């Protein structure tokens, strides 16, 4: 109990303010998960779940204590969504480990044009639908930005589970909106980490892109066949 109380109350002094330790730790686990995802390692999913649980307690600031500066319902719901999709991704990558490249859990592939249109439509429609809901719950403004980061995170995590290389670009779109939102809400540790993620996700996109081309060339197959093999693994 003492350890749990310390975890919930601990803060890191920075200048004239302080960072919530749970927020820092949650983002560190998130970074480790992203590194594992870039390398297509199954352990990326359970590591990410630990970070999601920590950040859930942070963004529900009014529920878990006053150390957090503001309650962001979209960010909190995002962590629950992450956990649910991570369980799906964990299962799928574990399932595909034996049939993909040795040492990797998935073979990267491109989503079809139909899927890309569906992703864009879901992003826009989901943001529009969730904005009034998060507003009614009292989420920090601008509420549409909270809804945007939630929808983008959902689609990006699902895309990662499916092995679509485009999921990295969805993360970039999330970071562009999420960084200003988190800074304005006072979540400085998460905002700085999101800023770093913006560059990291671009790197991840090119890493998966090169991996897809390399593995396709090694098998002598076309992009369409590689995409089909990703679907078969999933």
């Amino acid at each position: 109990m003492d350890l749990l109380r310390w975890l919930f109350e601990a803060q890191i002094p920075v200048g004239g303010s302080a960072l919530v330790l749970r927020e820092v730790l949650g983002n560190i686990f998130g970074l480790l998960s992203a590194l594992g995802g870039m390398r297509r390692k199954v352990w990326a999913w359970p590591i990410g779940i630990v970070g999601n649980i920590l950040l859930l307690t942070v963004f529900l600031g009014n529920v878990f204590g006053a150390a957090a500066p503001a309650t962001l319902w979209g960010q909190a719901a995002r962590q629950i969504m992450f956990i649910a999709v991570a369980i799906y991704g964990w299962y799928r990558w574990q399932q595909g480990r034996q049939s993909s490249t040795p040492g990797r859990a998935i073979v990267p592939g491109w989503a079809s044009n139909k899927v890309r249109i569906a992703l864009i439509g879901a992003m826009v429609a989901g943001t529009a639908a969730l904005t009034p809901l998060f507003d009614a719950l009292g989420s920090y403004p601008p509420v549409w930005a909270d809804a945007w980061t939630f929808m983008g995170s959902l689609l990006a995590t699902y895309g990662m589970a499916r092995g679509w290389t485009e999921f990295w670009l969805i993360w970039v779109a999330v970071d562009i909106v999420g960084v200003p939102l988190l800074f304005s809400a006072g979540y400085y540790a998460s905002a700085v980490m999101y800023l770093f993620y913006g560059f990291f996700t671009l790197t991840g996109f090119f890493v998966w892109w090169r991996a897809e081309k390399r593995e396709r060339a090694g098998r002598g197959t076309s992009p369409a066949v590689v995409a089909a093999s990703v679907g078969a693994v999933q």
Side-chain angles (χ1 to χ4, degrees):
M1 288 299 295
D2 289 338
L3 177 61
L4 189 61
R5 184 180 299 110
W6 171 82
L7 178 63
F8 271 79
E9 297 177 355
Q11 299 185 35
I12 303 173
V14 178
S17 61
L19 300 176
V20 179
L21 178 62
R22 284 172 288 134
E23 183 181 2
V24 175
L25 291 176
N27 280 292
I28 289 174
F29 276 99
L31 175 60
L32 292 174
S33 178
L35 287 169
M38 182 184 293
R39 297 178 61 197
R40 291 174 282 150
K41 299 293 187 179
V42 173
W43 56 256
W45 297 104
I47 289 293
I49 289 174
V50 175
N52 299 146
I53 293 172
L54 287 170
L55 290 174
L56 174 63
T57 68
V58 173
F59 290 120
L60 289 177
N62 294 336
V63 177
F64 286 93
T71 297
L72 288 174
W73 289 104
Q75 294 291 330
R78 199 170 77 118
Q79 306 310 315
I80 298 174
M81 173 274 297
F82 274 146
I83 294 170
V85 181
I87 293 172
Y88 166 78
W90 190 357
Y91 169 75
R92 290 300 189 180
W93 281 31
Q94 184 69 39
Q95 198 178 43
R97 177 159 35 180
Q98 301 302 321
S99 58
S100 61
T101 304
R104 301 290 188 268
I106 199 75
V107 178
W110 297 100
S112 66
N113 289 332
K114 183 178 180 179
V115 170
R116 290 173 183 171
I117 293 172
L119 290 173
I120 294 172
M123 186 76 166
V124 175
T127 299
L130 290 174
T131 296
L133 173 60
F134 290 165
D135 188 36
L137 291 172
S139 193
Y140 190 84
V143 181
W144 71 265
D146 205 13
W148 174 273
T149 58
F150 176 86
M151 278 306 303
S153 300
L154 170 61
L155 296 173
T157 307
Y158 178 73
M160 176 178 169
R162 298 290 295 179
W164 296 328
T165 303
E166 292 93 338
F167 90 87
W168 293 104
L169 298 181
I170 302 176
W171 277 125
V172 173
V174 170
D175 294 334
I176 289 173
V177 173
V179 169
L181 174 66
L182 290 169
F183 267 122
S184 65
Y187 289 99
Y188 301 114
S190 294
V192 171
M193 189 61 70
Y194 267 47
L195 186 61
F196 174 76
Y197 280 158
F199 297 99
F200 182 87
T201 51
L202 281 175
T203 302
F205 171 74
F206 288 108
V207 168
W208 272 43
W209 188 1
R210 287 196 299 267
E212 184 273 333
K213 290 196 296 184
R214 181 173 59 252
E215 291 171 18
R216 171 163 46 90
R219 298 181 183 190
T221 54
S222 67
V225 173
V226 172
S229 68
V230 172
V233 168
Q234 300 309 311

